[in-house]
Amino acid sequence: MNKSPLLTFQQAKELILTTGNAFNYDQYKTVSLMESIDCYLAESIYSPLSIPSFNNSAMDGYVVRQQDIENFSTLPIAGSIFAGDNDEITWPKGSCLRIMTGAYVPQDAYAVIMQEKVTLQNNCITFDQQQIKKGQNIRYIGESINKGDKVLTKGERLNIGKLATLATLGIQQVKIYKPIKVALFSTGNELTSIGEDLKSNNHIYDSNRFTLHLMLKTLGCEVIDLGIIKDDLTLIKQTLQKASEEADLVITSGGVSVGDADYVKQALEQLGHINFWKIAIKPGKPFAFGRLGQALFCGLPGNPVSSLVTFYQLVQPLILTMFSQKIAPNSLTFKVKTTSNLTKTPGRLDFQRGYLYSNKNGELVVTSTGQQGSHFTSSFDRANCFILLEKDRGDVLAGEWVIVEPFNKLLS
Ligand code: AMP
Ligand code: MG
């Protein structure tokens, strides 16, 4: 039995991120912008344009010169500029021009006066000179992005916001990483695959493989699903061998603890360089991590909640660093008051499941989603965050401050 002291969560995560960052993944392809949503950039993007690429109006209104507004509070309208107009307009001194949002602003313009701020009469506008500031309502060239600026960094995951920027820049194709290959199997004589009849009264459905598969797909991995493997040392060794030859990362569920049928551990000890960690977290104490040939390896605990939490908290950052090379994902955490009592034994960092909401005073508060046992995932059904209860903390009373971590899109 492994008598080594418990690792803290931070120690385990740092080791995982270091390994993920050192993983040298260079399989990429070029795809259209439309196909690139949720993919990881394999190149940094530098802007081919300045944005705005020309000085333009932020409002529908009237464009004026400095000298004119110093001398007059009423100006005749000499013409109009519409968005998309190209020709330099004739603009006599002592007049203004009607201008629409997005239209180019002439060189010697001082400001655009919002149309709501003028009185219009006999093709003339009257305005309050004191209210006009230099550059008002003008979007200047390069104000947002300068030509040549780095807009996105290699490794970032593309989302709609980032793709909107690339579309603004007229970029049509991007170089992205091909999905990493992840081989996945469950171990346990008691497991039946979803879609089949339970093999006996003492069987349970292999929910972990389903959940893990879905989370891997959501993270953009290609999943090699190797099914359920019996608790049999030879079979497990054969499957691990095959998995490590085909995949960049091998993930197993179950069999990494200290039970008599926990053969994954034995098999790994014979085949690879694996650390059997006991991490001071709840749920999810047993967790195996290391290398199997060229592939990285994560052995998750069999309990469904433990498997889900360790995947989210440890495997997810590993995969992100494997893809994204050097971009360590930071999770968002902050403090709120709990509205329910929380049961907690000192000694491990708890990842309880909670529901974060605004109370009637508009304050963010969190409540427990109930039973926190690690054998059944119902505590996730209504949850939108983890409640992180520090290692040395005991029971928590309603009204106390707790740290919460809202779920990212993997769980929400
Ligand atoms: P183990 O880690 O193999 O000792 O399993 C711990 C607990 O999780 C046992 O109650 C198993 O029956 C259950 N379990 C193991 N694998 C799975 C799975 N793939 N899906 C659902 N429950 C599982
Ligand atoms: Mg088992």
Side-chain angles (χ1 to χ4, degrees):
M1 216 165 86
N2 191 345
K3 290 271 192 288
S4 55
L6 296 187
L7 280 182
T8 66
F9 174 69
Q10 275 316 324
Q11 286 168 328
K13 190 165 169 183
E14 264 161 41
L15 286 164
I16 281 179
L17 291 178
T18 307
T19 311
N21 275 326
F23 181 79
N24 198 8
Y25 189 66
D26 63 354
Q27 303 290 309
Y28 49 79
K29 60 180 176 182
T30 299
V31 295
S32 73
L33 218 52
M34 196 64 98
E35 292 168 291
S36 71
I37 181 82
D38 287 338
C39 295
Y40 300 83
L41 265 180
E43 60 180 348
S44 292
I45 308 265
Y46 296 87
S47 180
L49 296 176
S50 289
I51 301 291
S53 49
F54 55 97
N55 297 345
N56 67 81
S57 178
M59 293 285 170
D60 294 324
Y62 298 88
V63 60
V64 291
R65 291 193 185 91
Q66 182 170 13
Q67 209 187 359
D68 296 334
I69 56 158
E70 279 168 4
N71 296 331
F72 309 105
S73 59
T74 297
L75 289 170
I77 306 167
S80 298
I81 321 176
F82 291 86
D85 279 359
N86 287 319
D87 298 334
E88 204 55 45
I89 192 166
T90 311
W91 185 12
K93 296 263 176 331
S95 74
C96 69
L97 294 171
R98 172 97 173 107
I99 192 164
M100 314 304 155
T101 306
Y104 80 84
V105 169
Q107 280 300 329
D108 50 350
Y110 179 75
V112 169
I113 313 173
M114 268 172 85
Q115 70 181 38
E116 293 82 350
K117 296 270 168 81
V118 306
T119 318
L120 185 61
Q121 205 172 27
N122 301 330
N123 204 38
C124 288
I125 57 165
T126 302
F127 46 86
D128 177 355
Q129 292 157 293
Q130 302 308 315
Q131 280 196 16
I132 302 166
K133 306 267 176 317
K134 185 176 186 335
Q136 204 168 39
N137 302 320
I138 299 177
R139 303 188 283 214
Y140 286 103
I141 185 165
E143 207 175 76
S144 167
I145 299 172
N146 272 308
K147 186 173 176 176
D149 279 356
K150 191 194 219 183
V151 280
L152 295 177
T153 303
K154 180 175 172 176
E156 285 187 50
R157 194 171 194 194
L158 294 168
N159 59 22
I160 289 180
K162 293 173 191 181
L163 290 177
T165 300
L166 298 188
T168 306
L169 299 175
I171 292 173
Q172 293 173 43
Q173 293 189 316
V174 281
K175 204 160 101 179
I176 51 134
Y177 286 107
K178 286 185 182 170
I180 59 168
K181 292 196 181 98
V182 184
L184 170 67
F185 66 93
S186 294
T187 66
N189 289 351
E190 74 278 34
L191 302 177
T192 296
S193 287
I194 295 171
E196 294 172 16
D197 291 335
L198 277 178
K199 295 205 172 71
S200 82
N201 286 341
N202 301 329
H203 262 234
I204 58 170
Y205 280 114
D206 176 9
S207 59
N208 288 356
R209 190 161 47 94
F210 167 81
T211 317
L212 294 169
H213 193 139
L214 261 184
M215 291 198 286
L216 286 165
K217 271 175 58 181
T218 307
L219 285 176
C221 303
E222 180 183 327
V223 182
I224 306 167
D225 190 337
L226 298 174
I228 299 167
I229 308 298
K230 293 260 179 227
D231 290 317
D232 174 292
L233 183 60
T234 312
L235 274 179
I236 290 177
K237 271 174 78 173
Q238 281 169 0
T239 315
L240 283 170
Q241 188 70 44
K242 179 171 143 71
S244 68
E245 284 159 14
E246 291 178 7
D248 303 299
L249 172 65
V250 178
I251 295 179
T252 60
S253 140
V256 287
S257 197
V258 291
D260 291 346
D262 290 337
Y263 292 113
V264 175
K265 201 172 165 198
Q266 278 184 50
L268 289 166
E269 274 162 351
Q270 295 173 24
L271 287 176
H273 303 280
I274 311 290
N275 305 301
F276 293 92
W277 286 347
K278 287 193 174 153
I279 310 174
I281 56 173
K282 188 181 174 198
K285 188 163 79 167
F287 184 85
F289 179 66
R291 203 170 275 282
L292 257 183
Q294 294 303 306
L296 298 181
F297 175 84
C298 292
L300 308 187
N303 271 314
V305 178
S306 311
S307 138
L308 221 164
V309 170
T310 49
F311 185 95
Y312 187 97
Q313 294 292 347
L314 296 168
V315 183
Q316 175 176 217
L318 173 71
I319 289 173
L320 295 178
T321 45
M322 283 172 79
F323 265 125
S324 70
Q325 329 230 327
K326 323 287 179 241
I327 297 181
N330 277 327
S331 39
L332 172 72
T333 58
F334 51 91
K335 282 188 174 175
V336 295
K337 282 183 178 167
T338 172
T339 59
S340 46
N341 294 336
L342 305 168
T343 308
K344 163 80 166 62
T345 315
R348 296 198 255 161
L349 168 67
D350 265 28
F351 290 99
Q352 301 203 1
R353 277 73 65 205
Y355 181 69
L356 191 62
Y357 65 100
S358 306
N359 67 15
K360 60 181 188 318
N361 300 325
E363 298 154 346
L364 264 184
V365 290
V366 72
T367 187
S368 172
T369 54
Q371 226 265 71
Q372 298 284 320
S374 62
H375 60 291
F376 194 52
T377 55
S378 63
S379 60
F380 273 102
D381 297 354
R382 231 166 43 83
N384 59 9
C385 71
F386 286 112
I387 307 174
L388 275 62
L389 299 179
E390 300 85 339
K391 188 163 157 280
D392 298 323
R393 202 159 177 183
D395 288 341
V396 177
L397 295 174
E400 286 186 41
W401 291 95
V402 291
I403 299 171
V404 291
E405 177 184 354
F407 290 162
N408 67 21
K409 78 176 189 187
L410 196 57
L411 280 177
S412 58

